[in-house]
Amino acid sequence: MQFWEILGWMLWAVVFVGYLFALFAIVADLFRDHTLNGWWKAVWVVFLVFVPFLTALIYLIARGQGMAVRSDRAAREAHSATESYIQRVAGKSPADEIAAAAGLLAAGSITADEFTVLKAKALS
């Protein structure tokens, strides 16, 4: 009997963790949805607190397709923001660095040997 009790508890633990994942996804989707009125968001949260399993099921059935769209849009925005941040922080492209070094060479700020070193560094 001990084995089956442990197996039963493990099953309920998996179900509970799955429910928590669904609950957090629903709450995140509620606050990600800008088309939903604040009062409707509050109603959904209240129902999630007092009738959790039924409300989660209804939410997933009624608004599940929109959840996927909003999640995809949020992921794309996060990816775009990350890419623009990396490009901004990474600095100039090698062509920009060589052009800047050529400008310094033309202005007489650096010698031809220093330009060659900067060019090699930019290309490496």
Side-chain angles (χ1 to χ4, degrees):
M1 187 67 178
Q2 183 73 8
F3 172 75
W4 294 109
E5 287 180 18
I6 292 172
L7 195 62
W9 278 108
M10 289 175 65
L11 174 67
W12 281 112
V14 168
V15 168
F16 181 70
V17 168
Y19 167 72
L20 287 179
F21 272 101
L23 183 68
F24 290 136
I26 289 170
V27 171
D29 182 64
L30 276 172
F31 291 104
R32 187 182 299 136
D33 188 5
H34 298 294
T35 62
L36 193 62
N37 183 325
W39 287 104
W40 283 110
K41 290 178 184 181
V43 168
W44 277 110
V45 169
V46 166
F47 275 103
L48 278 170
V49 170
F50 291 112
V51 191
F53 291 110
L54 182 63
T55 305
L57 183 63
I58 291 171
Y59 189 89
L60 291 174
I61 291 169
R63 298 178 51 87
Q65 187 67 25
M67 282 180 72
V69 170
R70 285 184 291 277
S71 177
D72 185 52
R73 185 177 340 127
R76 288 179 193 271
E77 289 173 359
H79 180 72
S80 174
T82 301
E83 289 294 322
S84 66
Y85 173 75
I86 289 171
Q87 288 176 354
R88 190 177 72 237
V89 172
K92 301 175 183 178
S93 69
D96 292 337
E97 291 182 21
I98 292 171
L104 290 174
L105 179 63
S109 300
I110 59 174
T111 65
D113 293 333
E114 291 171 326
F115 172 76
T116 307
V117 170
L118 289 174
K119 183 178 173 183
K121 184 179 176 185
L123 292 175
S124 64

